[in-house]
Amino acid sequence: MSYQDILEEGLVRLRNGESVESVLLAYPDHAIELERDLTAALAARSVASALPAVSEASRQHLRNAVRDVRIAREHRASGRIRWLSLGVPAAALAGLVAVAIALAAMSGVFQANTAEASIEGVVIEVADGQMTVQTDSGLETIQYEPALQLTDESGAQVAAGSVEPGQLVTVRGERRAGQLRAERIQLRANERLEAWCEQFSTPCTAIERVLAQRAAACTADAAQCRNVHTRLELLRKTITASPRIASLQQRCEAGTAQACEDLQRACEAVPAACESIREWLRNRRLR
Amino acid sequence: MAACDDFKERLLYVSESDAAQPRALPVTPTQLERLAALDDGAWQLLYDEYFLKLRNFAYGRCGDLGEAEDIASETFAGAVRGIGSYRDRGAPLAAWLFRIARNVTADHLRRRKRRPEAPLMEGREAPMTDFSRIEDRDEMLRGLQHLTEEQQTLIALRFFADCSLEESARAMNKNIGAVKGLQQRALASLKRSLSSNGGKR
């Protein structure tokens, strides 16, 4: 059982009323780390448990919100009824509405829905005015001004043009008609790439392919090429150390045929990074 | 809310064989119909079940009780306005509520003016190294500020709002494995942060 699983089990046991000591007795090999983590968790819980009850004002606030939305719905409904009660034939009314909508669309009255948006992902490609980012749900193309101010995680400004493939970023801006236009870009620390990739191994294998191509083609400025190679190595290390691949390898070794097939497929996507695992699979079949 | 419109609807949560059973049950069709129909009783029941947890989650993020209650109230107001577009995928309503709360909290924190640093507590001379003696709420809140937003969110969900691992995963749109890893890192960062704060006195 991994430490993460032991920690979770310990937290559940604490919540069910057990003491820290009884949990440590159950997992003596991890006692030191477990004690520190469980005590930190207990400290947070104790702060929360000391909070007072909620005020009744908030309950009234909810009643007001429900009432307001109900009134708004009733107004919308009564507005439609008023139109119909004017005696205008339904067909003629529908025609008038259709013409009005068409005229409004032509005059640009209907603005595309805009909404504040924020995404996190790894930069794949940077071209003039556009950046392609691999997020956990797919590729997203973002519009941005190359002169846009960048910041690092502490909020300090970073030189413009510092966004490179393999960089983990948080982008905030406005989404119009489905496209995100960046207003702020934060460069995340390289170390966070590992944590990000642990969650989404599939997007990271896609990033690895792109970075590998860039690294192979990189013959320009030495510093820039080193950066691409560094990011590539970091990513490969992350992918091969991913809990998902480790778990598949464990289950394959235990005899689960499906796990071996899944491991084979996972490693086909990352040939260079998975060389040792593929070698292991080949040797296993020869037994 | 505009921020709610940007939610990733695809659920990344992957059920694992050793996942803890969820504490919150999926919303029943009848319950959802009553909520969508703006039945006051149904909304009050939902309030009774989740308002305190949402308030505590917000407190874990912003550190101010009044603001936390405002955030929880705004979360419910947002839920009332958005219930018409809520799509039942068999998941507990709690995940949707906490996602709204997370966005409302982020908006509050962005708008909030920086507060002057609170003066260090007087009279404590020994550096804080033994976590079993941590009782200071302000120290905990200061310690949390050194964590990443995701780590703070998870600590607030799990230990302030008392959400289960699965509830937290759904609220954060992550799978169980990812949340376990985040939890380990968050607690490690928290204990480091509390140690260094204690050492500065």
Side-chain angles (χ1 to χ4, degrees), chain A:
Chain A
M1 191 186 272
S2 71
Y3 176 73
Q4 292 174 3
D5 292 331
I6 289 171
L7 173 60
E8 174 57 21
E9 202 155 295
L11 290 169
V12 171
R13 288 168 80 151
L14 283 187
R15 194 185 179 280
N16 291 339
E18 285 190 46
S19 65
V20 173
E21 288 72 25
S22 76
V23 176
L24 298 182
L25 281 172
Y27 303 104
D29 291 345
H30 299 277
I32 295 174
E33 198 171 359
L34 205 51
E35 185 188 15
R36 285 188 296 215
D37 287 344
L38 292 181
T39 311
L42 275 178
R45 272 193 189 145
S46 71
V47 169
S49 65
L51 293 174
V54 298
S55 69
E56 275 306 300
S58 55
R59 191 182 293 273
Q60 185 57 44
H61 194 265
L62 171 62
R63 287 198 189 98
N64 293 344
V66 172
R67 180 204 63 206
D68 291 346
V69 173
R70 191 183 298 124
I71 289 172
R73 283 189 189 175
E74 287 166 1
H75 279 164
R76 281 198 297 272
S78 65
R80 285 195 291 272
I81 292 170
R82 271 201 297 276
W83 266 102
L84 292 174
S85 71
L86 287 177
V88 178
L93 182 61
L96 279 172
V97 168
V99 168
I101 290 173
L103 285 173
M106 281 161 42
S107 66
V109 168
F110 288 129
Q111 298 290 330
N113 278 341
T114 62
E116 277 186 26
S118 170
I119 64 155
E120 182 181 66
V122 180
V123 176
I124 294 291
E125 205 73 38
V126 179
D128 291 333
Q130 277 194 339
M131 181 191 307
T132 303
V133 175
Q134 173 77 61
T135 70
D136 56 311
S137 57
L139 285 175
E140 175 134 18
T141 302
I142 297 162
Q143 287 182 321
Y144 85 110
E145 299 293 328
L148 183 68
Q149 207 54 255
L150 309 174
T151 59
D152 62 18
E153 289 197 340
S154 69
Q157 289 180 357
V158 177
S162 299
V163 183
E164 295 170 346
Q167 171 71 56
L168 183 63
V169 295
T170 300
V171 180
R172 291 187 179 86
E174 199 172 57
R175 193 179 289 284
R176 289 182 186 179
Q179 170 123 67
L180 180 61
R181 185 175 185 83
E183 291 169 356
R184 293 186 299 282
I185 299 178
Q186 183 187 57
L187 309 188
R188 312 295 298 280
N190 267 347
E191 291 72 25
R192 301 205 191 280
L193 182 61
E194 185 170 342
W196 192 83
C197 276
E198 274 176 19
Q199 305 165 40
F200 311 114
S201 62
T202 302
C204 275
T205 56
I207 295 165
E208 196 266 354
R209 272 198 297 276
V210 172
L211 279 185
Q213 288 167 6
R214 289 287 295 250
C218 197
T219 56
D221 176 68
Q224 187 185 27
C225 284
R226 264 203 303 279
N227 212 352
V228 175
H229 282 281
T230 301
R231 291 180 191 280
L232 182 60
E233 285 316 304
L234 174 67
L235 195 63
R236 282 176 171 165
K237 179 189 151 202
T238 299
I239 292 169
T240 49
S242 84
R244 180 171 163 265
I245 285 188
S247 164
L248 284 174
Q249 193 170 4
Q250 252 179 344
R251 283 158 51 201
C252 175
E253 178 133 47
T256 307
Q258 184 61 48
C260 296
E261 286 177 25
D262 291 343
L263 184 61
Q264 175 77 39
R265 261 196 300 276
C267 281
E268 275 165 10
V270 199
C274 241
E275 186 53 46
S276 61
I277 292 176
R278 290 190 305 132
E279 182 69 30
W280 178 82
L281 280 169
R282 271 198 295 270
N283 292 336
R284 202 171 177 282
R285 282 192 207 105
L286 290 172
R287 287 193 219 143

Side-chain angles (χ1 to χ4, degrees), chain A residues 5 8 15 52 55 58, chain B residues 47 55 69 158 162 180 191:
Chain A
D5 292 331
E8 174 57 21
R15 194 185 179 280
S55 69
S58 55
Chain B
Y47 173 97
R55 192 278 309 263
E69 205 155 297
R158 291 237 57 201
D162 197 31
K180 280 183 183 175
K191 70 179 182 267

